[in-house]
Amino acid sequence: MRASLIQIAADPDETANSRRQRAASLVREQRGADLVVLPELWPVGAFAYQSFEDEAETPAGPTYEVMAEAARDAGVWLHAGSIVERDPDGTLYNTSLVISPTGDLAGTYRKIHRFGFDKGEAVMMGAGADLATVALPELTIGLATCYDLRFPELFRGLVDAGAGLFVVPAGWPARRRGHWTLLARARAVENQAYVLACGTAGTHADVEQAGHSIVVDPWGEVLAEAGPDEEILTVDLDAAKVEATREQFPVLKDRRLGVVAPDLLR
Ligand SMILES: NC(=O)CC(=O)C(=O)O
């Protein structure tokens, strides 16, 4: 299974539309990949809070339209990163879109853990309420976004829902890059799953982005890591490695939910 992570820049020198066109042409260049991934809120910039209202769209809006055509042309599954979604009731969400090789919307995920504590996304957006997985031919992918990476219980929930690969689009700041790498590896090791974490490059709203998109295997080994600038990481994954790792070192079978989290069993 070949995956390409497109670490596109978040610099404010482009409009959302020109970013969409540029991202679409990069997706088209990935013909031959099975799965292509874009980062969090790349049409807007993850920290461009002042643009959220103006750039909000529906899951079937301009980002989907442009990226669906690109996915179809390239014949790939496309995790199109996330958009600012406006629900019909007016609430904004940080919503990921997964598009099939035929251009259909195969899944959406509203970011559950909102970043910013008492400002930014945390106060401007609603919190997602549902876990999301999408079954690809080789593996089921579990969806999470950026700050979600700090919440291991979400990833365990995705494993219980069948995930063997987590896709994590992000707009992670450079000043916390150490956490990004550590957390991506931790989520892979503890869940014996692949992690494809795709960040943004450049600087947006004065927040320097970490870049350093990373692919980690189910044993926690880093298969590929980008630098800080725009870059495309292409990696071959062995889908069978998920089950093989879980069989050879079956820690997930030793969970004691009845003791440590009885509420989860209700
Ligand atoms: N931007 C995010 O969603 C998360 C983040 O920056 C972090 O450090 O966590």
Side-chain angles (χ1 to χ4, degrees):
M1 178 180 182
R2 178 161 292 182
S4 291
L5 280 61
I6 300 178
Q7 180 173 288
I8 197 166
D11 296 322
D13 53 1
E14 280 179 297
T15 62
N17 275 337
S18 69
R19 278 208 195 111
R20 288 185 190 106
Q21 294 306 330
R22 204 159 66 82
S25 68
L26 294 172
V27 169
R28 286 190 176 91
E29 288 171 12
Q30 306 315 308
R31 173 164 279 286
D34 299 289
L35 172 64
V36 178
V37 182
L38 282 160
E40 180 187 30
L41 295 178
W42 57 272
V44 189
F47 288 89
Y49 303 136
Q50 73 288 350
S51 308
F52 283 4
E53 279 289 341
D54 288 348
E55 298 293 350
E57 52 183 312
T58 70
T63 300
Y64 167 72
E65 281 178 13
V66 173
M67 302 321 291
E69 210 178 308
R72 235 182 352 252
D73 291 348
V76 297
W77 286 89
L78 175 61
H79 185 307
S82 70
I83 58 164
V84 180
E85 177 199 356
R86 189 192 309 283
D87 186 83
D89 74 5
T91 309
L92 302 182
Y93 293 95
N94 184 338
T95 301
S96 289
L97 309 176
V98 181
I99 300 170
S100 76
T102 52
D104 297 306
L105 190 60
T108 60
Y109 165 66
R110 287 174 168 173
K111 186 176 182 181
I112 291 176
H113 304 95
R114 295 161 299 169
F115 182 66
F117 308 113
D118 55 359
K119 60 181 189 315
E121 178 183 68
V123 292
M124 295 181 70
M125 288 183 162
D130 297 301
L131 272 59
T133 58
V134 178
L136 267 51
E138 300 86 354
L139 278 174
T140 293
I141 63 173
L143 308 187
T145 306
C146 201
Y147 187 50
D148 281 334
L149 202 52
R150 295 187 183 273
F151 298 86
E153 60 277 18
L154 166 61
F155 291 79
R156 273 288 155 85
L158 292 169
V159 166
D160 288 341
L165 185 162
F166 304 123
V167 181
V168 189
W172 201 277
R175 62 180 172 273
R176 291 187 291 279
R177 179 161 80 80
H179 289 187
W180 163 252
T181 311
L182 188 67
L183 290 165
R185 293 190 72 186
R187 299 296 82 88
V189 173
E190 72 199 359
N191 295 296
Q192 304 184 303
Y194 281 102
V195 171
L196 270 55
C198 182
T200 45
T203 296
H204 205 283
D206 292 331
V207 181
E208 187 192 345
Q209 297 293 294
H212 282 269
S213 297
I214 188 166
V215 177
V216 191
D217 80 3
W219 192 246
E221 298 299 329
V222 176
L223 299 184
E225 186 174 354
D229 302 324
E230 279 208 341
E231 186 173 336
I232 297 177
L233 275 189
T234 298
V235 185
D236 288 320
L237 311 177
D238 176 5
K241 200 164 180 182
V242 174
E243 274 324 304
T245 306
R246 290 176 183 178
E247 271 168 29
Q248 284 159 17
F249 197 76
V251 287
L252 291 171
K253 290 187 181 148
D254 281 339
R255 292 164 75 190
R256 301 286 309 280
L257 285 181
V259 176
V260 299
D263 287 350
L264 290 181
L265 295 178
R266 292 202 190 107

